[in-house]
Amino acid sequence: MKLKKILYVILGLSIINITTLTSNALEAKVCVDVKNNSISWISGLNNNVRVINFEDETKYFKECKKKLNLLSEVTRIIEEYFCEYIKKPDSPDKNCLIKCFQNSNNLNKFVNMGFILNKNSSLNRYVSQKADSSILGINPSTAMQLRINLKDFILYASRELITRQASNVKEGELQTGLAVKQLATYELAKYLGLESIVVKSEFAKLLTLNGEKYGVLSSKANGKEISEIITKSLKVSPSFQKELTCLQLLDTLSGEQDHGPPNCCIKIDNDNLSGVMAFDNEGGFDLSTNLKKGLCWGKVPSLINFKTNKIALPHLSKEPVEKILNTKDEELNNIFKDLLSAQQLKSLKTRFSMLKSALENTIKNQPDFLLLDNQWSQNTVSKELSGKFGNTYLVHYCKFLGILK
């Protein structure tokens, strides 16, 4: 039970049994034929992601597969790893692994390998070389005969199994537990007029050489990833401050905990930090209404100062705040009825209500709190970076970039 709790916390899920919507609730908004396009792969923490290049654009696809029984699930993982991921369908290793997991004891060890970030999990112990492959149900003598990179296969499989665990659906239904969170994040951002700070995401059908695939198709984020930024002589522009405060506002409403600097692209214009765009958007919309815990796994304090019931930022953008203040429950029902469960929607409404109260109190006592786009300035930047408001998103990102100590 302890390992399950750790996994749920990391994935942003609730221990409470959420009634997940069936696959019928999601309809593909677009159909994309990629049979003649080049497809490569990248690895997320929870997903094996297809990278598709077409029409001079890069798109990312996270598939939602139908839930199968465990033996069929593992067999599918093996088949797709060899046929699609490494493109070696005739490798003798494929049948060797399939035969291995026909043993129920091996299968049980494999499907319960756990999460990579949990140091006590079988997966972590194997990857960190504290245990051999037998801990995952693969006899070391069998492992020695394999020609593939076994660690690569194990990590690929672990991501497929995480997607399964994150979706509480019946066999035969699409595993959409993580997908709906990503889709809901974009819909919330769009509703608030903040779609420029998160990647566009939509449910899609992909036509591939290996058949039809259903899942989330996302655009490439604008800007540079943190690992690509090498210069330290960067200046903070008012637009960078504005977009980070908007992201902090959005994450407070969605409950997203994983929008630290590594999960955002940074927009840079002539050595000026000009904005952000978040691309890992599947960590929100759990059942938590505890805004006191803050964001970025507790590294950034809550947007609300609960002692005063005021916003713990010097300023926020006027347009999204006014949208929040004018939001009615009926509007949220209409936007999210086909995405979120009733419990998820109820929690979202509670977060809206708490934030509205703090916003109204702040505006009442601070007439200049809300700013139009042209009112953000170097003075507002200096005010937030002074340290008076704690480790806000702006401060957190500037520390990560080496601009602040």
Side-chain angles (χ1 to χ4, degrees):
M1 184 62 181
K2 183 178 179 182
L3 296 182
K4 187 177 180 181
K5 285 185 178 181
I6 292 172
L7 172 64
Y8 269 54
V9 168
I10 292 174
L11 292 179
L13 303 173
S14 171
I15 299 299
I16 299 173
N17 187 21
I18 300 175
T19 303
T20 306
L21 298 173
T22 68
S23 59
N24 294 330
L26 288 177
E27 294 184 2
K29 292 187 176 181
V30 294
C31 180
V32 183
D33 188 338
V34 297
K35 292 191 287 290
N36 295 320
N37 297 88
S38 63
I39 296 178
S40 56
W41 295 82
I42 57 172
S43 303
L45 189 61
N46 307 321
N47 300 276
N48 296 302
V49 185
R50 287 176 174 83
V51 183
I52 305 163
N53 297 305
F54 64 98
E55 297 178 358
D56 297 323
E57 278 189 273
T58 299
K59 297 279 188 178
Y60 300 93
F61 184 76
K62 297 178 181 179
E63 186 179 357
C64 297
K65 299 174 183 176
K66 286 186 178 181
K67 187 174 185 179
L68 306 176
N69 64 60
L70 286 174
L71 178 57
S72 297
E73 181 80 55
V74 171
T75 302
R76 179 174 65 188
I77 288 171
I78 296 169
E79 289 280 359
E80 293 187 349
Y81 176 80
F82 283 93
C83 296
E84 298 186 49
Y85 193 74
I86 63 172
K87 296 181 175 63
K88 294 181 179 180
D90 298 323
S91 170
D93 292 348
K94 182 178 72 173
N95 290 331
C96 181
L97 286 169
I98 290 174
K99 182 178 179 180
C100 173
F101 295 119
Q102 288 174 348
N103 178 291
S104 60
N105 186 47
N106 291 341
L107 178 67
N108 185 59
K109 289 181 179 180
F110 188 74
V111 298
N112 290 293
M113 68 175 70
F115 193 57
I116 185 65
L117 297 184
N118 176 10
K119 293 183 180 180
N120 295 319
S121 69
S122 298
L123 175 61
N124 185 283
R125 292 179 64 196
Y126 169 74
V127 171
S128 60
Q129 299 183 331
K130 294 178 181 177
D132 62 36
S133 60
S134 62
I135 199 172
L136 303 175
I138 302 173
N139 190 289
S141 60
T142 301
M144 288 289 292
Q145 298 173 16
L146 298 175
R147 303 174 186 177
I148 60 168
N149 182 330
L150 182 57
K151 178 181 174 182
D152 181 65
F153 166 73
I154 294 297
L155 289 172
Y156 170 91
S158 73
R159 293 186 286 268
E160 295 294 310
L161 292 170
I162 284 173
T163 301
R164 176 190 174 90
Q165 292 180 52
S167 300
N168 182 27
V169 296
K170 299 176 182 178
E171 288 183 17
E173 294 179 355
L174 292 183
Q175 299 171 143
T176 58
L178 295 175
V180 294
K181 292 167 175 277
Q182 185 172 346
L183 295 168
T185 298
Y186 181 69
E187 289 302 319
L188 179 59
K190 190 165 61 172
Y191 171 71
L192 298 175
L194 301 178
E195 62 266 40
S196 65
I197 62 172
V198 295
V199 293
K200 181 179 180 180
S201 300
E202 53 194 340
F203 199 68
K205 178 167 70 174
L206 218 62
L207 305 179
T208 76
L209 294 173
N210 300 99
E212 295 180 355
K213 313 286 183 180
Y214 289 87
V216 178
L217 187 68
S218 298
S219 301
K220 181 178 175 60
N222 296 328
K224 293 185 177 181
E225 294 190 36
I226 289 290
S227 59
E228 299 174 323
I229 300 175
I230 55 176
T231 178
K232 298 297 182 181
S233 58
L234 295 169
K235 298 178 181 178
V236 180
S237 71
S239 62
F240 187 62
Q241 179 190 25
K242 183 199 74 173
E243 293 202 357
L244 277 175
T245 59
C246 287
L247 184 62
Q248 193 169 345
L249 185 67
L250 177 67
D251 288 350
T252 298
L253 286 172
S254 69
E256 173 67 67
Q257 287 290 326
D258 209 17
H259 275 168
N263 286 334
C264 287
C265 278
I266 310 297
K267 303 167 192 173
I268 301 175
D269 183 16
N270 294 324
D271 287 340
N272 287 302
L273 299 169
S274 59
V276 293
M277 181 173 278
F279 56 79
D280 194 352
N281 305 320
E282 57 188 27
F285 296 96
D286 61 8
L287 303 188
S288 175
T289 56
N290 177 20
L291 300 186
K292 291 183 179 180
K293 65 183 179 181
L295 300 170
C296 293
W297 307 109
K299 294 178 182 177
V300 175
S302 174
L303 185 64
I304 301 174
N305 181 333
F306 284 91
K307 291 181 179 179
T308 62
N309 193 32
K310 292 181 180 178
I311 300 299
L313 282 176
H315 299 285
L316 281 174
S317 284
K318 185 175 182 179
E319 289 187 4
V321 168
E322 289 186 340
K323 189 74 172 180
I324 292 168
L325 293 175
N326 292 320
T327 296
K328 307 296 182 185
D329 284 356
E330 292 75 14
E331 292 176 280
L332 297 179
N333 290 339
N334 290 333
I335 296 169
F336 298 105
K337 62 183 178 182
D338 290 337
L339 282 176
L340 303 180
S341 70
Q343 294 157 301
Q344 288 173 307
L345 187 52
K346 181 180 178 181
S347 298
L348 174 62
K349 291 174 184 177
T350 300
R351 293 191 291 269
F352 257 88
S353 179
M354 295 170 70
L355 191 56
K356 281 183 183 181
S357 175
L359 287 167
E360 289 168 348
N361 196 32
T362 306
I363 294 167
K364 179 181 177 181
N365 291 276
Q366 188 180 332
D368 65 344
F369 176 67
L370 299 181
L371 300 180
L372 297 171
D373 287 354
N374 62 0
Q375 290 178 308
W376 295 88
S377 67
Q378 289 301 329
N379 286 336
T380 64
V381 171
S382 298
K383 190 175 181 180
E384 187 172 345
L385 293 181
S386 67
K388 181 180 177 182
F389 299 89
N391 197 47
T392 66
Y393 266 24
L394 179 64
V395 173
H396 185 56
Y397 273 65
C398 285
K399 286 179 178 177
F400 205 95
L401 289 164
I403 297 171
L404 287 179
K405 294 184 178 180

